[in-house]
Amino acid sequence: MPYIVRVRREFQAAHYLTDYHGKPEPLHGHTWEVELFIRADKLDKGGMGFDFVEIHKFLDKILPDYQCMNDIYDFSPSAENVARYIYDKVKEKYPTLQKVVVWETKHGGAEYFEE
């Protein structure tokens, strides 16, 4: 029987929206929240599907903590695009990744998954 291992992580990052003509267009920052959903088809001898500590170490390497995302990405860093970017990076290390949810604020976010 499969399990879903869920890992949630916050990071601080700034961005500005391109081709958007409204209040959040200029440079601004958020406390972003990322949630990973990774399927574990079996548990190890210790009863774990994946080690949370190892997943967090991996996230340390790929999340743009305290950076301006426009300076490091070659795409407009909307919540949707950030969710897909994180999904693609995590899927390389954890092939059973089911989806990634990215919250730009506590009221708005996006998720990415492949059907």
Side-chain angles (χ1 to χ4, degrees), residues 2-66:
Y3 297 84
I4 297 293
V5 173
R6 294 171 62 163
V7 174
R8 190 177 292 169
R9 181 65 173 271
E10 288 184 349
F11 67 97
Q12 309 294 320
H15 71 148
Y16 55 88
L17 300 175
T18 56
D19 297 317
Y20 179 84
H21 306 288
K23 185 178 176 183
E25 182 179 23
L27 180 65
H28 61 283
H30 300 283
T31 299
W32 298 75
E33 186 172 305
V34 174
E35 189 170 10
L36 308 179
F37 295 75
I38 306 171
R39 189 184 77 240
D41 293 320
K42 61 182 180 175
L43 304 180
D44 65 15
K45 291 180 182 180
M48 295 187 304
F50 293 97
D51 185 337
F52 295 146
V53 173
E54 292 302 316
I55 296 169
H56 281 283
K57 284 181 185 177
F58 181 73
L59 288 173
D60 285 341
K61 295 176 186 176
I62 67 166
L63 294 180
D65 204 21
Y66 290 97

Side-chain angles (χ1 to χ4, degrees), residues 63-79:
L63 294 180
D65 204 21
Y66 290 97
Q67 296 183 58
C68 177
M69 292 190 284
N70 298 77
D71 294 343
I72 59 175
Y73 296 144
D74 62 354
F75 55 82
S76 179
S78 63

Side-chain angles (χ1 to χ4, degrees), residues 67-114:
Q67 296 183 58
C68 177
M69 292 190 284
N70 298 77
D71 294 343
I72 59 175
Y73 296 144
D74 62 354
F75 55 82
S76 179
S78 63
E80 293 87 347
N81 285 334
V82 172
R84 180 168 187 170
Y85 173 82
I86 293 170
Y87 179 93
D88 289 344
K89 290 294 183 187
V90 173
K91 186 86 171 176
E92 291 173 11
K93 174 117 176 124
Y94 297 97
T96 59
L97 177 68
Q98 300 296 289
K99 72 177 176 177
V100 169
V101 179
V102 171
W103 290 93
E104 189 171 315
T105 69
K106 67 180 183 174
H107 301 290
E111 63 182 58
Y112 185 81
F113 59 94
E114 293 180 348

